[in-house]
């Protein structure tokens, strides 16, 4: 990235994330915590967040697909990694060789694992559709899936490990029905001779509010990023800390007269002589255009409304007679403790959920990590243990690994 590009930054507070993972994993006990780092850790950056999760109470990781799981393995992560969305060209052999846990929804996926002929048998988690109607076997297809998995397990092609599902988060009653469907599916499978070492169902919502759904493991996602899965409670109410702060500098200011139109369509006009500040973030960076007329940002200790349409690369803020200069920090959303909007506030401005606000932050926004303590400690330990080899270009690093 060019040094001359405006500093569009998503500051990721790993200490806040660790706090959240510790809070959630303690809540879930004795159930284990699997941390969902799919979609590049909800826009926060997959590898650093995966490491921080494993440092603070998570014992396994969830990603969507096999390629993402392989990136984590390549980064040196040895914890269990679970991937559940596969198309017919999925890299089942590579997944098996890398010891990736596979969510399995259909017999053809087991056949494809067998056809891949990997040296290792991957652990499989059989998925029953308990009402969400995405993947997962239907009640009718479930016995066939279980029988096929048992046969492949006997042949040493897979290791049958878990049964699982995912909730619709529609209502407590719907979720209770789904839990009951999972239990019935497990009973059907056991009658066919299956034994599951693990059952899992809950994500953030049920993991927090439905203790009976925690089973052996909770797959926490959004709550770990400090965003509430509920409409009636904020992340802060739940004792969680927002992890991402989205910010950029003011790139220019100008003084304009009353009645001056701003941005495409001139849908906003100044009510008096005023100062305009230009901010280099737009919908290509994830700022939802639909928040035009509602979105607020924080500059020099104050909140201001965005003036006029949010464009692809920029938006304008009307700061009235306040002193704002190029280089001043504009916070679009952050932890909220200084008075800045949160991602949850932006979800309100844009009629969506906080998950979408953070996950849509674009590739042009640089991720900057605060509190990368463990990595720094490891580097320090490495430096201390290998001070004699310090001039050696770092080659002994791999030798010191156990
Ligand atoms: C995204 C996802 C999760 C995490 O969900 P949150 O609501 O973000 O906690 C868990 N399990 C599956 C299958 C998912 O797709």
């Amino acid at each position: 990235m060019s040094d001359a590009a405006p500093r569009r930054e998503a500051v990721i507070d790993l200490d806040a994330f660790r706090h959240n993972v510790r809070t959630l994993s303690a809540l879930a006990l004795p159930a284990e915590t699997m941390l969902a780092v799919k979609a590049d850790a909800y826009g926060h950056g997959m590898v650093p967040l995966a490491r921080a999760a494993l440092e603070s109470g998570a014992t396994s990781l969830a990603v969507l697909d096999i390629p993402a799981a392989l990136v984590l393995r390549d980064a040196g992560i040895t914890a269990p990694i679970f991937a559940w969305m596969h198309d017919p060209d999925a890299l089942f052999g590579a997944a098996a060789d890398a010891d990736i846990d596979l969510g399995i929804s259909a017999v053809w996926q087991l056949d494809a694992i067998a056809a891949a002929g990997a040296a290792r048998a991957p652990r499989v988690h059989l998925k029953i559709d308990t009402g969400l109607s995405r993947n997962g076997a239907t009640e009718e297809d479930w016995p066939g899936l279980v029988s096929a998995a048992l046969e492949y397990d006997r042949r040493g092609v897979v290791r049958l490990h878990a049964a699982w599902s995912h909730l619709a988060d529609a209502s407590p009653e719907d979720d209770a029905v789904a839990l009951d469907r999972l239990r019935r599916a497990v009973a059907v499978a056991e009658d066919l001779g299956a034994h599951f070492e693990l059952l899992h169902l809950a994500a953030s919502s049920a993991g927090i509010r439905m203790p009976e759904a925690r089973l052996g493991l909770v797959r926490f996602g959004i709550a770990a990023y400090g965003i509430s899965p509920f409409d009636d409670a904020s992340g802060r109410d739940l004792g969680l800390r927002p992890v991402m702060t989205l910010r950029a500098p003011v790139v220019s200011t100008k003084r304009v007269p009353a009645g001056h139109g701003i941005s495409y369509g001139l849908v906003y006009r100044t009510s008096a002589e005023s100062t305009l500040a230009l901010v280099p973030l737009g919908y290509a960076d994830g700022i939802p255009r639909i928040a035009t007329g509602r979105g607020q940002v924080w500059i020099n200790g104050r909140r201001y409304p965005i003036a006029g349409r949010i464009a692809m690369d920029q938006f304008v803020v009307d700061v009235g007679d306040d002193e704002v200069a190029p280089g001043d920090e504009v916070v679009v959303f952050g932890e909220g403790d200084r008075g800045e909007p949160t991602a949850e506030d932006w979800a309100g401005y844009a009629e969506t959920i906080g998950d979408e606000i953070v996950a849509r932050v674009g590739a042009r926004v640089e991720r900057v990590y605060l509190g990368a303590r463990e990595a720094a400690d490891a580097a320090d330990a490495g430096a201390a243990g290998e001070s004699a080899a310090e001039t050696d270009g770092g080659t002994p690093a791999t030798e010191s690994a156990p």
Side-chain angles (χ1 to χ4, degrees):
M1 192 158 292
S2 161
D3 286 340
R7 290 169 56 85
R8 306 177 184 92
E9 291 180 339
V11 181
I12 310 301
D13 185 341
L14 293 174
D15 286 330
F17 183 69
R18 289 190 191 95
H19 162 84
N20 298 338
V21 176
R22 275 195 301 272
T23 301
L24 295 166
S25 57
L27 177 70
L29 284 173
E32 295 205 21
T33 286
M34 172 183 278
L35 219 293
V37 293
K38 64 187 183 185
D40 202 23
Y42 295 47
H44 295 65
M46 182 172 69
V47 171
L49 280 278
R51 290 208 177 101
L54 295 169
E55 287 158 8
S56 35
T59 52
S60 61
L61 301 168
V63 292
L64 190 68
D65 52 27
I66 293 167
L70 297 176
V71 169
L72 291 173
R73 276 284 179 268
D74 285 347
I77 288 171
T78 55
I81 302 170
F82 180 53
W84 65 85
M85 189 175 281
H86 321 293
D87 73 10
D89 297 325
L91 305 171
F92 288 114
D97 288 338
D99 203 16
I100 307 302
D101 281 33
L102 298 173
I104 294 296
S105 293
V107 173
W108 68 260
Q109 296 172 342
L110 295 168
D111 295 339
I113 294 170
R120 271 168 183 262
R123 290 203 302 198
V124 295
H125 303 224
L126 301 186
K127 186 172 189 185
I128 173 90
D129 180 2
T130 52
L132 187 56
S133 307
R134 301 198 311 199
N135 59 14
T138 60
E139 215 176 317
E140 293 68 40
D141 292 342
W142 176 250
L145 180 64
V146 171
S147 300
L150 283 169
E151 178 55 26
Y152 279 125
D153 182 280
R154 267 192 293 276
R155 288 204 239 150
V157 169
V158 300
R159 288 173 289 150
L160 183 54
H161 180 59
W164 71 293
S165 189
H166 191 47
L167 292 168
D169 295 340
S171 70
E173 295 72 32
D174 289 305
D175 289 348
V177 168
L179 174 57
D180 194 50
R181 286 186 181 143
L182 176 65
R183 291 197 189 286
R184 286 210 318 268
V186 169
V188 167
E190 285 173 348
D191 282 346
L192 292 167
H195 166 73
F196 299 111
E197 291 159 42
L198 178 68
L199 304 178
H200 52 107
L201 176 66
S204 293
S205 168
I208 294 169
R209 287 202 175 155
M210 192 179 170
E212 67 276 23
R214 290 177 190 148
L215 305 175
L217 175 153
V218 177
R219 302 182 310 268
F220 283 112
I222 194 61
Y225 302 93
I227 293 171
S228 173
F230 308 114
D231 293 335
D232 62 359
S234 68
R236 182 166 293 254
D237 294 338
L238 300 170
L240 304 170
R241 294 175 52 193
V243 174
M244 182 190 292
T245 294
L246 180 62
R247 69 180 190 190
V250 170
V251 289
S252 77
T253 58
K254 64 174 62 163
R255 196 74 186 154
V256 298
H260 204 72
I262 296 173
S263 192
Y264 291 127
L266 305 180
V267 296
Y268 178 96
R269 287 183 184 274
T270 49
S271 53
E273 186 182 326
S274 193
T275 299
L276 306 181
L278 184 64
V279 182
L281 286 167
Y283 56 78
D285 305 299
I287 311 293
R289 186 174 179 277
I290 196 174
T292 295
R294 283 173 291 196
Q296 298 185 6
V297 297
W298 187 86
I299 309 174
N300 298 338
R302 265 203 62 185
R303 279 202 200 194
Y304 298 94
I306 291 176
R309 291 249 166 86
I310 294 164
M312 182 181 288
D313 308 300
Q314 51 196 299
F315 60 78
V316 176
V317 183
D318 180 353
V319 300
D321 290 328
D322 291 346
E323 252 347 288
V324 172
D328 286 357
E329 179 191 47
V330 181
V331 176
V332 177
F333 58 81
E335 187 153 352
D337 53 343
R338 297 180 294 174
E340 74 274 34
T342 60
E344 289 168 349
D345 291 329
W346 270 87
Y349 305 151
E351 298 171 46
T352 182
I353 53 176
D355 316 41
E356 185 182 349
I357 296 298
V358 291
R360 64 188 289 160
V361 171
R364 198 162 62 172
V365 176
E366 189 183 351
R367 272 62 173 175
V368 177
Y369 295 92
L370 295 183
R373 177 183 75 226
E374 308 291 330
D377 287 351
D380 288 350
E386 289 156 14
S387 51
E390 213 167 357
T391 55
D392 225 326
T395 38
T398 49
E399 291 169 20
S400 68

